[in-house]
Amino acid sequence: MLRRQTSTVAHDGRDDDVLAALGIKPELSRRMGVFGNFAISFSVICILAGGMSLFGFGLAHGGPVVMLGSWIVIGFMTLLVGLSLADVVSAYPTSGGPYFMADKLGGARWGWMTGWLNLLGLLGAIAGIDYGAAVFTGAFAQMQWGITPTNSITMTIFGAILLLHGLLNSAGVRLVNALNALSVWWQLAGVTVIVGALTLAPTPHRSPTFVFTHFHNDTGFTRPLYVALIGSLLAGYTFCGYDASAHVAEETADAQTAAPRGIVRSIYVSWAAGFVLLTGLLFALQDYTATQNTPTGVPPAQIFLDVLGAPGAKALLAVVIVAMLFCGNAEVAAASRMVYAFSRSRALPGWQAWRQVNEQTKTPTRAVWFVIVVPFLLALPAMWSPAAYGAITAINAVGMIPAYGIPVYLALRKGRAYRPGPWSLGRWRKPVSVTAVAYVAIITVVFCLPQSTPITAQSFNYAGLTLLAALLLAWGTWITRGRRDYQLTAAASAQPAEAMLSEGI
């Protein structure tokens, strides 16, 4: 399917020349390699975060057959989106990621709208990931010390986790790279340990018929197809964040091939490992209703307790929590690079501050703290209303997924005028990209569908309203300041970037 074009773009050890051709002055430390680039996206997808956090959602919205079936389908479709996005990333390997590509392929307004969707999605992701880690930490504290995790306690833990991630990311990309590498092995070993422990435990296990065919519906809706659609969001929400490989492209050696490979590899490895994890948990599930209504608030923790007892459950829960911490740390790294790049284009209020790079660490430190403080503020409504918090964090998927699809669509629209990079789908680009864009449109609608009935203020799915608010924010800021101040690159090149790239720089 893939072909490597060496005639289109110079790339071997000449990353800074590529950036210069795109009008970008290299400022960040280029210390990541192929594995490091893959590791950050794999860490952000984090099956031990998404798969575990949404496991209870899956049990209620279709049960095992929908959880596993949709994991296969959504994983495959995500791979197509990732392949298509990787093709465009190879042509434009910058920290701006989707917004930079959209601007180059469709113009300033496309870039502005895509940038705001991607940014809000990244900020919502940090809020969701680190708050989820705080919830799991609260469940661990309840099991270990009998502490009831109140909203204020959870928020305090959440703040401490954000602070930790701010400090780690301020230390420089070398530490972040090392932590991401450790995260890969931690997650893969974690899945092996969890599934192995649950499988080998001398307790009853569910039959293959139950695991692969049982349908369970607590949504209030009666149509199985509709329930399967909304149940697919377990996988849909998990398969987000692989744009991280693009956001650290300016810190990656041979970025035009390493970043695309990082995106694609992170998806298919997560796809395989996540299926193993979900299958292992479902085989080990003891009491369905009791697991859904567990006093820990974390259904997988109840499975651990039922199968392994308190000591084993606490050990496995600790494995999951550490994986979540790795995930949040990687997302902070990706989001801070997005803030840095978007500020470099003068898109954010106070852009002069957020685009600054620390001279010692070569890290956008101020952007790091921007993406620490804003998610904390976004999550504050959780102190009083879980529904309000859900409305804020819903922008994670409904912001990020469309931001992936827009540059792919614009590359298709450009037709033969689009110049691919050295990593290209070749003749497969059009059919794969058309399918990917169609999937992005469909899954975005599914994200916004009602998820339970009767619909109340607490059960209402705020994703659609959140997406509308994000679009209105992007449009409003474009009208008031974007079309006046926004500038993709600080300095224009002597000749169009695409022409320079096509000539081998």
Side-chain angles (χ1 to χ4, degrees), residues 142-165:
Q142 185 178 41
M143 293 167 59
Q144 179 65 30
W145 302 292
I147 299 174
T148 301
T150 62
N151 289 344
S152 59
I153 289 176
T154 302
M155 187 60 65
T156 301
I157 298 171
F158 173 60
I161 292 172
L162 284 171
L163 178 61
L164 173 64
H165 288 160

Side-chain angles (χ1 to χ4, degrees), residues 464-477:
L465 290 179
T466 307
L467 176 59
L468 178 61
L471 292 173
L472 289 175
L473 174 64
W475 178 79
T477 53

Side-chain angles (χ1 to χ4, degrees), residues 115-199:
W116 276 100
L117 286 174
N118 193 207
L119 175 61
L120 293 172
L122 288 165
L123 295 174
I126 293 172
I129 292 165
D130 281 359
Y131 193 84
V135 170
F136 271 64
T137 302
F140 180 88
Q142 185 178 41
M143 293 167 59
Q144 179 65 30
W145 302 292
I147 299 174
T148 301
T150 62
N151 289 344
S152 59
I153 289 176
T154 302
M155 187 60 65
T156 301
I157 298 171
F158 173 60
I161 292 172
L162 284 171
L163 178 61
L164 173 64
H165 288 160
L167 294 172
L168 291 174
N169 274 273
S170 296
V173 71
R174 179 178 292 180
L175 176 59
V176 171
N177 197 29
L179 291 173
N180 289 336
L182 179 59
S183 170
V184 172
W185 301 115
W186 184 274
Q187 286 198 59
L188 294 177
V191 170
T192 302
V193 169
I194 290 170
V195 174
L198 295 177
T199 302

Side-chain angles (χ1 to χ4, degrees), residues 375-459:
F376 183 79
L377 297 177
L378 290 177
L380 278 178
M383 290 280 289
W384 304 278
S385 171
Y389 169 70
I392 295 298
T393 57
I395 193 58
N396 173 17
V398 295
M400 293 175 77
I401 298 297
Y404 302 161
I406 290 171
V408 174
Y409 161 73
L410 292 174
L412 277 172
R413 191 180 71 167
K414 208 167 182 67
R416 293 187 178 182
Y418 167 70
R419 299 174 184 270
W423 193 102
S424 174
L425 293 173
R427 62 190 178 89
W428 290 96
R429 186 173 67 83
K430 185 173 182 178
V432 171
S433 296
V434 168
T435 306
V437 170
Y439 165 73
V440 167
I442 293 170
I443 196 66
T444 301
V445 173
V446 173
F447 280 135
C448 300
L449 294 175
Q451 296 173 357
S452 63
T453 187
I455 299 174
T456 65
Q458 295 299 316
S459 65

Side-chain angles (χ1 to χ4, degrees), residues 297-352:
V298 177
Q302 189 61 48
I303 295 176
F304 299 161
L305 280 169
D306 293 341
V307 176
L308 303 171
K314 287 184 284 189
L316 295 188
L317 196 58
V319 170
V320 175
I321 292 169
V322 172
M324 289 179 163
L325 295 178
F326 280 131
C327 175
N329 193 67
E331 189 70 283
V332 167
S336 63
R337 273 56 176 182
M338 166 59 188
V339 168
Y340 159 75
F342 213 30
S343 297
R344 187 171 60 190
S345 298
R346 305 180 181 183
L348 291 179
W351 59 268
Q352 297 93 333

